[in-house]
Amino acid sequence: LRPLERRFSVELCCRRCGSLLFPFKMPKKRRSNGRNKPAGARGHVKRVFCESSGALVPKDKAVKRFIVRNIVESAAIRDLQESCVYDSYALPKLYRKVYYSISAAIHSKVVRVRSREARRIREPPKRFSRPQQKDGQKPPGAGAGGVEGQMKTMTVKN
């Protein structure tokens, strides 16, 4: 061994046989190694495309999100409802399952980096629900910018 390698021989691997000279096991960051497979499972998992980077990611490792959106953006909903022949026509929604790689999900702020103690919390975060009144009516200001209430109070002078 060269003088530099003698000093750091614990961290280097043996060049002839390829075995590690570590006297200890490396620490694990996550108990599942970042995968959603059972502990004794072996083999490969089907890969999916990342939505933002296009990388192929194992399906059990990818960050999954189920997106439900209106087909029409919120600015045009009121125009469509006014011009529609039917009184109570429910606009269809767009349902999509999206997969992200870990690095792309962190970069686009889909998930956040958590501390070691916070990583152990496995329950999903609480969802925010809209405030609803007891008699089934919409709360004030709900709807298309709260315009319905304003239009009733307007008067036209000739």
Side-chain angles (χ1 to χ4, degrees):
L1 294 173
R2 286 183 238 145
L4 184 66
E5 289 178 350
R6 279 190 207 124
R7 209 175 336 151
F8 300 106
S9 62
V10 174
E11 294 150 11
L12 298 173
C13 64
C14 181
R15 290 188 180 153
R16 273 186 275 158
C17 63
S19 65
L20 293 176
L21 300 174
F22 281 33
F24 55 88
K25 286 178 72 174
M26 291 291 290
K28 282 177 69 172
K29 193 170 186 181
R30 291 171 189 86
R31 70 177 182 182
S32 63
N33 297 321
R35 306 287 293 265
N36 191 13
K37 289 199 315 191
R42 297 176 179 225
H44 294 279
V45 177
K46 194 173 152 184
R47 292 177 177 256
V48 292
F49 282 101
C50 171
E51 185 71 17
S52 59
S53 67
L56 279 171
V57 188
K59 191 174 181 179
D60 60 343
K61 189 173 189 172
V63 176
K64 302 163 213 42
R65 292 291 180 263
F66 193 72
I67 297 175
V68 181
R69 290 176 39 196
N70 288 325
I71 289 180
V72 184
E73 65 267 3
S74 60
I77 287 178
R78 186 167 169 225
D79 297 335
L80 275 173
Q81 286 176 344
E82 288 175 357
S83 63
C84 186
V85 176
Y86 302 108
D87 292 334
S88 60
Y89 178 69
L91 286 170
K93 293 187 179 287
L94 193 74
Y95 299 96
R96 188 163 185 211
K97 183 86 179 253
V98 177
Y99 299 97
Y100 295 98
S101 64
I102 299 295
S103 58
I106 292 170
H107 179 73
S108 57
K109 297 179 181 174
V110 176
V111 292
R112 296 179 186 273
V113 178
R114 297 189 291 171
S115 66
R116 187 177 294 175
E117 291 81 24
R119 259 182 248 144
R120 294 172 188 246
I121 302 169
R122 294 175 55 94
E123 60 189 32
K126 294 178 182 175
R127 294 185 180 188
F128 296 108
S129 60
R130 295 181 184 159
Q132 294 182 352
Q133 292 181 348
K134 295 179 182 176
D135 53 351
Q137 295 178 350
K138 291 182 180 178
V147 179
E148 304 92 50
Q150 296 172 4
M151 297 299 279
K152 290 179 185 176
T153 58
M154 286 177 52
T155 56
V156 179
K157 293 183 180 179
N158 288 337

